[in-house]
Amino acid sequence: MSLFEVRHQPRAHRLVQRAMEGRRFPHAYLFAGPEGVGRELFAQRLARLLLCDEPASRESVETEGLADWSGAVADACGKCQSCRLCMSGSHPDLHVISRDLIKQHPDPTVRGRMGLDLSIDVIRTFVIDEVGHKPVMGRAKFFIVREADLMSRSAQNALLKTLEEPPATTFLILITRSVDTLLPTTRSRCQVVPFGMLPTAFVADEIVRRLPEMSGEAAEWYAEIADGSLGTALHLIEFDLQSHRDGVSGLLSGLTRTAPTALAKKLIDTAKKIGEEFRKRDKDLSDTEAQRRGLRLMFVLLASLFRGALRKATESGGRFEAVTGAIAAVRTAESQLKLNTNVTLTVESLLIQLGRLARR
Ligand SMILES: [Zn+2]
């Protein structure tokens, strides 16, 4: 349960240890980086360290970025009451803020809303009002804001004063994919901590460590397509993406012979099946959104198949222009999906394009 379980994030570790050494902690952090690389885990462990009654000091630690660290390193003790409460997820001074808190809002009209963004109602009630109260256990109050990039403009503006002059005992960590998605005024009031992609080999090892029944080959496949994100890899495993690999690959081999509309239908049918799995986990999901999520996974699969083809073409001196064209086409279709365009049309036009490239 150590801070150092978060691996391959050297900059985050150095910044925190430097702050511990100087006993000067910024009150607002912005953890910026891709999903599934340890941002939230690091935030949780950092909160535990700052809330711990007796932080432990270790001579050295084997982790990236601290190999040449000369002083002692700090970590939570893991034994005090505060640490135990953090571990059980019930520390009264550790607040995890996410957009679905809207369903717990005291106002029934607000509760009825969808919560697609991180609204001002959630920020006001669960952060700003909370900041005004003293810590329950005396030491500090900690707020971890998930998906901070989804904070509406008004939510960010409402939060400014808290970010600017937080009470001495209040700490905030905003978790975001990229710093650019936040207003400059929000950004400038936080210390930015960049998080990077994880090495593929590490992701594969982690998968096997967590899921010992999985074969090394499958773990490597997932690590490869997850592109340096352990979270993404585990997500794809949950939806058993590999089981669709051969089907989709077979579909692509029919590109020159079969009508694109027929292929599109097959692809959408598979996406629907995966979409049903999404629905089992989130009953509030609409049909369209479930299908969209399924399709997003199909695109991940397509992109990975084309990347594999690109590798082969480059090695054998084959026609890699067609393959790079295909990768670009998948990327375009992916971004169209985000723009709420008609799903069937998007997939059909993708397959028409892929068919043309295959015939070249
Ligand atoms: Zn402790």
Side-chain angles (χ1 to χ4, degrees):
M1 294 296 150
S2 148
L3 183 65
F4 302 103
E5 271 171 37
V6 179
R7 299 275 314 276
H8 298 283
Q9 299 300 351
R11 283 177 289 188
H13 279 297
R14 287 191 87 86
L15 278 168
V16 163
Q17 294 304 328
R18 226 178 276 147
M20 284 303 282
E21 211 176 42
R23 295 187 180 283
R24 283 232 315 258
F25 257 93
H27 284 274
Y29 273 113
L30 197 58
F31 282 9
E35 268 174 36
V37 299
R39 297 167 309 168
E40 185 166 341
L41 187 63
F42 198 83
Q44 292 269 4
R45 298 296 157 87
L46 178 57
R48 191 182 304 170
L49 170 58
L50 294 186
L51 292 169
C52 174
D53 294 333
E54 278 178 78
S57 166
R58 291 207 245 153
E59 270 321 299
S60 69
V61 66
E62 284 287 308
T63 198
E64 300 74 19
L66 293 176
D68 60 342
W69 187 261
S70 51
V73 292
D75 200 356
C77 77
K79 295 177 209 131
C80 69
Q81 191 195 10
S82 178
C83 278
R84 284 202 309 268
L85 287 169
C86 280
M87 283 187 262
S88 64
S90 52
H91 198 296
D93 295 316
L94 176 53
H95 302 262
V96 179
I97 310 302
S98 56
R99 59 197 159 98
D100 51 16
L101 277 179
I102 201 156
K103 299 216 171 78
Q104 293 171 37
H105 197 277
D107 182 343
T109 338
V110 175
R111 271 205 302 277
R113 294 195 196 127
M114 288 286 280
L116 294 176
D117 64 358
L118 198 47
S119 71
I120 185 167
D121 303 297
V122 169
I123 293 296
R124 238 189 223 137
T125 307
F126 299 99
V127 182
I128 300 173
D129 291 355
E130 250 333 295
V131 165
H133 299 138
K134 283 212 166 73
V136 179
M137 293 180 64
R139 193 167 298 274
K141 265 181 119 76
F142 226 98
F143 295 85
I144 298 174
V145 182
R146 276 183 190 153
E147 297 182 293
D149 17 10
L150 294 180
M151 263 195 293
S152 65
R153 212 183 167 81
S154 54
Q156 290 190 55
N157 284 329
L159 194 60
L160 278 188
K161 202 174 162 308
T162 309
L163 289 176
E164 202 153 56
E165 298 164 356
T169 50
T170 296
F171 297 92
L172 289 112
I173 298 182
L174 310 183
I175 297 183
T176 168
R177 282 186 218 202
S178 143
V179 286
D180 304 329
T181 50
L182 292 162
L183 294 177
T185 42
T186 304
R187 220 157 56 206
S188 66
R189 284 164 177 79
C190 301
Q191 164 149 31
V192 177
V193 183
F195 280 71
M197 295 292 195
L198 302 168
T200 307
F202 170 74
V203 174
D205 287 348
E206 265 311 287
I207 294 172
V208 174
R209 195 176 68 80
R210 289 165 192 232
L211 307 165
E213 71 281 6
M214 180 163 275
S215 77
E217 193 205 348
E220 273 169 34
W221 185 79
Y222 277 113
E224 183 75 35
I225 62 171
D227 220 5
S229 163
L230 177 60
T232 302
L234 296 173
H235 176 72
L236 299 176
I237 291 169
E238 193 187 338
F239 290 92
D240 199 12
L241 195 66
Q242 202 180 35
S243 68
H244 301 289
R245 180 178 54 178
D246 295 344
V248 172
S249 174
L251 206 116
L252 290 181
S253 63
L255 271 174
T256 47
R257 291 173 271 115
T258 321
T261 44
L263 294 178
K265 193 182 170 302
K266 277 190 194 161
L267 202 62
I268 291 174
D269 285 346
T270 315
K272 274 186 189 155
K273 251 184 236 153
I274 301 178
E276 279 160 26
E277 293 297 313
F278 274 103
R279 276 279 285 273
K280 277 186 202 155
R281 290 157 179 82
D282 182 356
K283 302 251 184 311
D284 293 340
L285 224 54
S286 70
D287 273 347
T288 347
E289 182 53 26
Q291 190 184 343
R292 234 173 252 279
R293 289 191 189 181
L295 206 52
R296 221 167 280 150
L297 295 198
M298 285 294 94
F299 288 164
V300 170
L301 190 52
L302 282 174
S304 90
L305 289 167
F306 285 124
R307 275 206 303 269
L310 182 62
R311 247 194 319 272
K312 265 188 213 146
T314 320
E315 279 160 16
S316 65
R319 329 170 296 140
F320 61 84
E321 291 87 353
V323 188
T324 48
I327 294 173
V330 174
R331 213 169 283 151
T332 310
E334 252 177 333
S335 49
Q336 273 167 351
L337 200 63
K338 279 185 205 140
L339 296 173
N340 280 354
T341 42
N342 180 309
V343 167
T344 312
L345 283 181
T346 304
V347 179
E348 279 177 3
S349 81
L350 170 66
L351 285 159
I352 290 170
Q353 232 177 319
L354 293 179
R356 258 188 227 136
L357 287 163
R359 257 177 244 110
R360 254 192 212 166

